[in-house]
Amino acid sequence: MNDAINFMNIEGLKFFGRVNASISHELKNILAIISETTGFLNDLTELAKQGKDLKLSLIESCSKSIAEEIQRGFTTIKQMNSFAHNVDVPIKETNLGDLLDLTVKLSKFLSFASTVHTPAPDQKMKPVLTCPFLLQNLIYQVLCFAYESVGPEGKVDICFNSKDDNGIHLLFSLPVTMETKDFPTEKIQKSADVLGIAITVKNSEFILWIPFSSDKITQMASLL
Amino acid sequence: MKVILVDDEQKFINMLEKRLAMRQIQADVAFTGDEAIEKVRNTPYDVAVLDIKMPGISGLQLKKELRALNPNLKIIFVTGHGAGLESGEDPAENDIYLSKPLDIDILIAKLNQVAN
């Protein structure tokens, strides 16, 4: 168990750093657009001072663009905040739909992210007792593997199957022609083992079986 | 001076193109690596301003492909990274790295520097 906790600490820090780096990149892009747009407005103002006609439509479109980017920034910061609060309670009952939704959104900041189709979060879904931060790390790793397999033009479909009495199946479907022989990687397998999650690969599908509760999680909760 | 701006952030690159045009610098824009390669194949640009991180291809990889088409093409990298590739020159390659958000005057100074 100590090995597992060491592994979690190292991988958790790496994951936290990676996500934060991608968020900072996104925020810089947002600020860059706002900066260029305000710079353009300054340019227009200077031209107006020199007697050139000022086109109201240009000012309107700049204002709209700035408002859109501010909203994009708020959305990004909200996601960053939700992510940061995932470590508040190490083990807790977690809605998988919400967790998946946030993880996919965070992964979309990666430059190599593909198109992802996810099910709408379902508040009636039975929660799982897990470490949300580590589960997010695992799903993020699976998404990265999928993105690298299908490329930025590719598509990954994700769905849940909750007919099992003991847990939920989370299915990642890649195009049928994709090679999946390298999955799961050692790190993904280890991350899954720590959480008591089983991984199977069926044709071009990666399946994570996430138990509603497991001895590993209960044991981990008593140590954290 | 013929310039091509390459970045998947379309609003950013469109705005930059307008601001450069106001300063009598005509620039073409490309939103993907493939689009940039196609334009560089058909037009003898002097300078390419490349985003470091783009879907499908990194700016560093794109530089190699563009240089294969036009060995004289000068490169300015623009990065949204927080650290490591902030403003300054890479002494090994003589490429210039600028950090977002950009200062238009610095960009123009660098464009003039590399084009001359």
Side-chain angles (χ1 to χ4, degrees), chain A residues 100 104 116-119 139 143 147 156-160 170-173:
Chain A
L100 175 71
V104 168
V116 186
H117 289 160
T118 52
I139 294 173
L143 283 167
Y147 294 159
V156 181
D157 282 306
I158 306 176
C159 68
F160 292 110
L170 179 57
L171 292 83
F172 297 75
S173 303

Side-chain angles (χ1 to χ4, degrees), chain B residues 7-102:
Chain B
D7 196 313
D8 60 307
E9 288 285 347
Q10 300 193 5
K11 280 187 189 173
F12 171 73
I13 219 76
N14 283 334
M15 203 48 78
L16 197 56
E17 184 262 329
K18 282 193 181 81
R19 297 191 71 204
L20 288 173
M22 282 176 156
R23 290 159 176 82
Q24 283 69 55
I25 296 175
Q26 298 306 314
D28 287 339
V29 298
F31 305 127
T32 65
D34 287 345
E35 207 180 324
I37 289 165
E38 194 54 37
K39 288 193 171 171
V40 168
R41 183 174 284 129
N42 296 316
T43 307
Y45 293 105
D46 300 300
V47 188
V49 179
L50 307 181
D51 184 19
I52 289 270
K53 278 183 98 177
M54 284 187 297
I57 189 166
S58 74
L60 298 166
Q61 180 61 36
L62 183 58
K63 172 191 142 181
K64 285 182 191 162
E65 300 203 19
L66 298 183
R67 280 266 174 83
L69 295 167
N70 176 356
N72 296 321
L73 184 69
K74 302 293 190 299
I75 305 288
I76 294 176
F77 286 115
V78 174
T79 169
H81 282 287
L85 291 172
E86 294 289 350
S87 302
E89 286 189 15
D90 174 353
E93 294 277 353
N94 272 340
D95 296 325
I96 290 173
Y97 291 88
L98 297 176
S99 183
K100 287 181 182 175
L102 287 179

Side-chain angles (χ1 to χ4, degrees), chain A residues 6-17:
Chain A
N6 280 339
F7 173 77
M8 281 156 37
N9 285 338
I10 293 165
E11 289 309 311
L13 269 177
K14 279 187 194 169
F15 174 50
F16 207 77

Side-chain angles (χ1 to χ4, degrees), chain A:
Chain A
M1 187 47 76
N2 281 340
D3 279 353
I5 288 178
N6 280 339
F7 173 77
M8 281 156 37
N9 285 338
I10 293 165
E11 289 309 311
L13 269 177
K14 279 187 194 169
F15 174 50
F16 207 77
R18 190 175 189 189
V19 171
N20 276 322
S22 68
I23 291 173
S24 72
H25 187 259
E26 174 75 359
L27 290 174
K28 271 204 162 193
N29 274 332
I30 292 167
L31 290 175
I33 293 170
I34 293 173
S35 171
E36 286 311 316
T37 312
T38 53
F40 182 61
L41 284 170
N42 282 337
D43 293 345
L44 292 177
T45 309
E46 288 303 317
L47 288 176
K49 281 183 191 165
Q50 293 163 23
K52 300 266 169 63
D53 282 343
L54 198 55
K55 282 186 185 167
L56 281 180
S57 61
L58 275 179
I59 295 176
E60 271 177 3
S61 89
C62 286
S63 159
K64 185 168 171 265
S65 173
I66 289 171
E68 283 169 0
E69 291 309 308
I70 289 173
Q71 191 52 52
R72 180 179 162 195
F74 277 135
T75 304
T76 304
I77 288 168
K78 194 177 164 194
Q79 289 162 1
M80 183 183 178
N81 188 264
S82 301
F83 174 66
H85 281 297
N86 258 342
V87 291
D88 290 353
V89 182
I91 308 281
K92 66 174 183 181
E93 299 234 301
T94 304
N95 180 296
L96 273 185
D98 291 341
L99 185 132
L100 175 71
D101 186 56
L102 178 61
T103 312
V104 168
K105 281 174 179 160
L106 293 171
S107 74
K108 296 295 285 181
F109 296 141
L110 295 166
S111 61
F112 57 95
S114 321
T115 302
V116 186
H117 289 160
T118 52
D122 175 7
Q123 295 308 320
K124 289 178 186 164
M125 185 186 283
K126 186 175 172 183
V128 295
L129 182 70
T130 190
C131 173
F133 177 67
L134 292 180
L135 181 53
Q136 233 177 0
N137 177 24
L138 172 63
I139 294 173
Y140 194 87
Q141 287 183 69
V142 175
L143 283 167
C144 288
F145 188 97
Y147 294 159
E148 281 169 351
S149 300
V150 306
E153 305 295 321
K155 196 177 78 171
V156 181
D157 282 306
I158 306 176
C159 68
F160 292 110
N161 180 341
S162 49
K163 287 175 187 164
D164 190 315
D165 287 341
N166 300 314
I168 296 175
H169 288 96
L170 179 57
L171 292 83
F172 297 75
S173 303
L174 278 57
V176 283
T177 51
M178 293 315 303
E179 283 279 337
T180 54
K181 62 179 165 48
D182 297 330
F183 188 87
T185 61
E186 193 181 336
K187 201 187 282 184
I188 287 174
Q189 185 62 61
K190 208 166 173 184
S191 302
D193 290 344
V194 166
L195 295 168
I197 290 171
I199 296 180
T200 48
V201 181
K202 198 172 153 190
N203 301 322
S204 56
E205 270 187 350
F206 307 147
I207 305 164
L208 308 187
W209 179 78
I210 304 164
F212 290 122
S213 178
S214 74
D215 292 344
K216 283 190 176 173
I217 290 292
T218 319
Q219 199 183 346
M220 200 191 297
S222 67
L223 290 172
L224 294 172

